[in-house]
Amino acid sequence: MELLQFSLVSVDPFSGRAEFDLQLRLTNPNPFTLPLLESALTAELGGLQLRLALPALEILPGAGREVQTRLVVPVVEGARVLANLLGGQSARLRLLGELRVQLGPAVVPIGPLTLVERDVRVQFTFQPPTLRLAEVRLEGPAIRLLLEAENPNPVGFTLEGPLRILVGGRSVAEGGLSLGLGPGGRNRGEVRLSLLGLPGTGGVSVELGLSARIPGVLDRSVVQVLQGFLR
């Protein structure tokens, strides 16, 4: 068995799952067709033990077949190895177990064997989320802020941290934001802040000193200034 590709599908802290696609090539050196039954393998990724399902397939004599399967990693238990992979480091992957072959009426086990053992990496470059100031509205002694966010990454996170609202260049309200964004997802966040003083006239600026966070896995700075108008 040969590992052709190991690629990131998604990391979703809200479902608690990270998923990776594995493309494998299996070769049959025998002079007869090899009908492999569905097999359950053990996958070790950075020392974390997981389960991997290998689908049933037939391999012709002296030929090879490519197959794709998916590895699911729990975010909490796999925090260390996920942090390494998203940070550009490699992790050791081992596939171990027993392949089952249907030969006539009999099911013949092959193994247990170490089928794959190699270091793997993923391609991931964090892209800051797109943030838009949808509305800034004065409501009595408070100011209401509505933000729209879009996450271009296959990795979800919580966008959190302080923000400050300025009107005409003068700070009128301060507070914090916490907004969950799934992989490739969109969300809207509403914040209502008490006014520090009477707002003057002029354009509205919202200074965001946020971070995109998955505890123990991801922490990326998202610093932006959004412009808008007070209603």
Side-chain angles (χ1 to χ4, degrees):
M1 182 182 292
E2 179 185 3
L3 177 65
L4 301 178
Q5 187 174 350
F6 179 87
S7 57
L8 172 66
V9 177
S10 65
V11 180
D12 188 349
F14 308 107
S15 70
R17 294 161 56 99
E19 298 185 2
F20 300 87
D21 272 345
L22 280 70
Q23 188 174 359
L24 303 165
R25 181 174 178 83
L26 291 84
T27 303
N28 178 14
N30 300 289
F32 53 84
T33 296
L34 205 59
L36 293 178
L37 302 177
E38 184 175 340
S39 302
L41 305 178
T42 296
E44 291 184 0
L45 182 63
L48 182 69
Q49 288 205 345
L50 307 161
R51 303 299 293 170
L52 182 73
L54 191 67
L57 71 160
E58 285 193 352
I59 311 177
L60 296 176
R65 284 281 303 274
E66 292 184 10
V67 62
Q68 188 164 302
T69 185
R70 185 157 291 187
L71 181 65
V72 177
V73 179
V75 172
V76 174
E77 293 86 342
R80 181 184 58 82
V81 68
L82 291 174
N84 288 342
L85 288 170
L86 296 182
Q89 301 180 43
S90 64
R92 194 69 171 176
L93 175 68
R94 299 177 69 211
L95 300 184
L96 314 120
E98 194 174 82
L99 300 178
R100 299 186 307 135
V101 181
Q102 183 78 51
L103 295 178
V107 176
V108 179
I110 301 176
L113 300 169
T114 298
L115 302 165
V116 169
E117 185 169 10
R118 55 168 282 191
D119 289 337
V120 293
R121 294 177 182 267
V122 298
Q123 296 293 323
F124 173 71
T125 301
F126 178 77
Q127 301 293 327
T130 301
L131 298 171
R132 190 176 76 85
L133 187 57
E135 186 178 67
V136 187
R137 185 182 295 275
L138 196 60
E139 295 182 345
I143 193 164
R144 176 176 169 269
L145 178 72
L146 184 62
L147 284 172
E148 294 180 346
E150 184 174 353
N151 179 15
N153 301 282
V155 177
F157 47 79
T158 298
L159 198 59
E160 57 187 15
L163 61 84
R164 186 166 66 132
I165 302 176
L166 298 92
V167 178
R170 186 168 66 88
S171 179
V172 298
E174 296 181 0
L177 175 72
S178 181
L179 182 66
L181 285 171
R186 300 180 180 183
N187 203 355
R188 303 180 75 178
E190 182 176 315
V191 181
R192 193 173 187 273
L193 304 173
S194 298
L195 288 168
L196 301 175
L198 291 175
T201 59
V204 175
S205 297
V206 180
E207 297 179 345
L208 303 169
L210 308 176
S211 292
R213 290 195 180 114
I214 306 174
V217 176
L218 182 78
D219 193 338
R220 299 286 196 277
S221 177
V222 180
V223 177
Q224 294 189 25
V225 176
L226 307 179
Q227 305 292 335
F229 297 94
L230 185 64
R231 294 184 181 179

